[in-house]
Each structure stands twice: as structure tokens, then as C-alpha cells.
Amino acid sequence: MQTVFNPIQLQLLQLFSRMQSEEELKEVQQLLSDFYFKKVEARASQLYKEKGWTQDTLDEMANNHFRTPYK
């Protein structure tokens, strides 16, 4: 079975192959974490506005249990 990489995976493999230290790896990991955090934060802000949520809404959600009860 042959592994087929998508263009993003290939680009990352090329990037990682040039890294010379553990410190560089940590820096890139932090960059990727920051990138995805910003995306999640933007989506959360969008939902917050679309749904008309307030701080009271968030407080109420934090105090509720949304899990399905087991019998």
C-alpha cells in the first residue's frame, strides 16, 4: 500500500526536512498552534455575533450539562 500525500502534507514535509534543531521545530509548532487558534477564535466570535449571545448566555452555558444522561 502506497501513502499518497496531499499538497499541504508535502509542503510540511519539505519544511520539516530543512529544520536543523529542536528549537526550530518548537517554533513552527507554535506558529501552527497560533494559526489554528486564530481560526477557532474568529469562528467563535462569528457565532457569538450571529447567535446574539451575551456574557450571561456564556455563563449559563458554562453551568449547564449538555451530555446525554446514561440510564
Side-chain angles (χ1 to χ4, degrees):
M1 182 175 175
Q2 187 177 18
T3 302
V4 178
F5 294 109
N6 67 40
I8 295 170
Q9 291 170 317
L10 289 172
Q11 184 70 36
L12 288 172
L13 284 171
Q14 289 172 353
L15 172 70
F16 291 133
S17 72
R18 289 192 279 276
M19 292 193 177
Q20 299 295 316
S21 69
E22 191 72 26
E23 184 61 33
E24 286 181 321
L25 174 62
K26 288 179 183 179
E27 288 177 30
V28 171
Q29 287 173 326
Q30 187 62 53
L31 286 169
L32 290 170
S33 292
D34 293 345
F35 173 79
Y36 283 108
F37 176 78
K38 287 177 185 176
K39 287 197 165 284
V40 168
E41 189 175 43
R43 180 65 177 135
S45 293
Q46 180 186 6
L47 283 172
Y48 191 86
K49 290 175 186 172
E50 285 176 5
K51 305 255 183 209
W53 291 343
T54 64
Q55 185 60 48
D56 290 337
T57 308
L58 297 179
D59 293 341
E60 184 180 325
M61 291 169 79
N63 293 320
N64 285 328
H65 297 282
F66 294 102
R67 288 184 259 154
T68 303
Y70 293 100
K71 296 180 182 180

